[in-house]
Amino acid sequence: MSRTFRCLAPALAACALAGAAAAQTVAARPAAARSSFPLTVESIMRGPLLVGRSPDEVRWSPDSRWVYFRWRRDNPGDTATAVYRVAAQGGAPERLADSTAARVAPARTGGEWSRAHDRRAEVRNGDVFVIDRGGAEHRITQTPARESEAHLSRDGRTVTFLSGGNVFAVDVAGGTLRQLTDIRGADAPKRDALAGQRGWLHDQQDTLFAVVRDRRAEREHREMLDSLRTALRPIYLGKNASVASAQVSPSGRYLLLDVNESVEGEKATIVPAWVTESGYTEPLNGRGKVGDVQDGERVAVVELATSRVSWVQPEAKDRKMTLTALEWAPDADRALVMGESADFKDRWLYVVGPDGKATTVDRLHDAAWVGGPAYGSAGWLSDERVWFVSERSGYAHLYAAPAAGGEAQALTQGAWEVTDVQLSPDRRMFWLTTSETHPGERGLYAVPAAGGARTRIDRLEGWNEGLVSPDGRWVAVTHSTANEPPELYLMPNRAGAPARRVTESTTAEFRMGPWIKPEVVTFTARDGATVHARIYRPRELGASANGGAVVFVHGAGYLQNAHRGWSTYYREYMFNHLLASRGITVLDVDYRGSAGYGAAWRTGIYRHMGGKDLSDQVDGVRWLVANEGVDAKR
């Protein structure tokens, strides 16, 4: 292994020398590789000023007529983004003024639809709105407070929301604002009877002074009037607790409450910020250490008429866990709740009734830690059936199971992953983003909720993330390839339909570059596992290989970089071109611990970081020597 480090050292030195010799780069390359683009460190490290700003924050209007997104056109010197919209039927993107966007653009989080799917509640810039499918808008709040958790009643006539830690309701058509809860982040007051000398003194004051008796009677009368006025009983969560989310049940009788509980003694890490407006180093408070005390999360069901609180009691009572409220059933007062053990080795899905009792629907166990793509994705298909994503087969796949518990049905299966799930409004169809064509590709598929064959919707090669319109007729696709950053496309929601490109985000200068689609190769690791990697060959840049090699190691741990889409490490992608143009072969390995290859690969570094994640890199070097003409000493 020491020899491997020695053979990499000169290549790493070449990386450093490349920056120093940036001005001579173009002249040093063979004529076949020369272009008008200056392939230098100075040029490629300009980030979005060179590459452009791809569209993001994509969302549909409630009537499915418009797609809204945040974008920046290629305007010299313009570094700010703006909100644009484009018609599903055709036309060019239209830039909206900030004031207009704040008024008409839908919320990025999507909002919640009514049962009939004819109107939607959303929170926009801290205020609550309800938008009819036809586009008519009802502004519900306009306050300095920031409201959240907007939900519509089953008939769509009432909207509830969270403000200041309490739940409020108001009729969409107008009416009185009603407070549904009196939740207090404090311990319940204790009224212990006074004893001893203090108790005797208290009784004497009451006996001897009529004014004391009058004050007490007046106070009790006011408290009685207050209780008649609000009809709310206080709910005391504890001094370290706060409401994270709140959802009223379909019948309107119950409240599903998600409560955060901070712990005393938690210590956050402090990270210095070196580049600041003040010119001085400033501290950034990060998260606590993983092994330190951690905040918790609990779930309760509240009976609104009585303020009775039933804390959810999971079946796995012997395990310390965090509970997260997901959602109520469509028409029944039963809720879906996720539990996760403190050691991250187990995840449960529970169906919870009004009394807080939990029935296990699914349990996922991993000897290392649970996780994976679409982790935590779950919901209701009907009042009697739920869906969820699980790695129980070793790969993230879609399942359906009875709400009362029982055997789960695999709706997808194979040595590939489901990475995103959308359920149609009528709950009959799933639209899935999967990697079934290749670990480095993503495509949109339709699959019946009852199970059956999948149908590929888009036909764009590379990395695609599709968002289906509310009416199910259209798809907005964010599409990229290895050498083209993400762009927005629109297409009808049917298999093989043509996709219309909406945006061109890259700069003219970037488009002059010699950007290649690096081949995704595989090699066999020493334990027999198949490892995927991107390779940058000098001949693809018109250069002659000189026997040197560099291995690029992506960061983030759980991240995929040997794929056929645009890399989040796009500056390094361009730097790899610079190295290849100098005759150096570059290998970019998705080592053990990377995303995209199933649970065993994801957890392959468990309790041994610096084990297989390192040996995969070393085996990649050996593959380069054996197959790509790389000199083991370089």
Side-chain angles (χ1 to χ4, degrees), residues 196-211:
Q197 180 176 342
R198 292 183 179 179
W200 179 85
L201 179 60
H202 178 273
D203 293 341
Q204 283 292 300
Q205 293 292 100
D206 192 64
T207 301
L208 296 176
F209 294 102
V211 66

Side-chain angles (χ1 to χ4, degrees), residues 133-147:
R133 177 183 286 277
E137 183 177 276
H138 311 268
R139 182 164 196 151
I140 305 300
T141 66
Q142 189 172 9
T143 69
R146 298 193 69 84
E147 284 81 38

Side-chain angles (χ1 to χ4, degrees), residues 3-79:
R3 179 183 176 186
T4 303
F5 289 134
R6 286 198 300 272
C7 82
L8 287 177
L12 294 176
C15 295
L17 291 173
Q24 303 174 0
T25 300
V26 176
R29 281 186 283 154
R34 295 177 184 175
S35 72
S36 56
F37 181 84
L39 193 56
T40 65
V41 171
E42 181 182 16
S43 179
I44 64 181
M45 290 300 169
R46 284 178 290 160
L49 292 178
L50 167 65
V51 176
R53 173 67 185 267
S54 294
D56 59 10
E57 299 179 16
V58 179
R59 63 268 199 200
W60 284 95
S61 63
D63 59 8
S64 301
R65 293 178 55 207
W66 300 92
V67 174
Y68 290 81
F69 56 98
R70 183 166 288 279
W71 187 42
R72 191 192 76 207
R73 287 186 183 274
D74 180 19
N75 293 323
D78 185 6
T79 60

Side-chain angles (χ1 to χ4, degrees), residues 377 427 434 468 507 548 573 631:
S377 296
R427 303 177 189 267
T434 81
V468 179
T507 66
Y573 162 81
D631 184 347

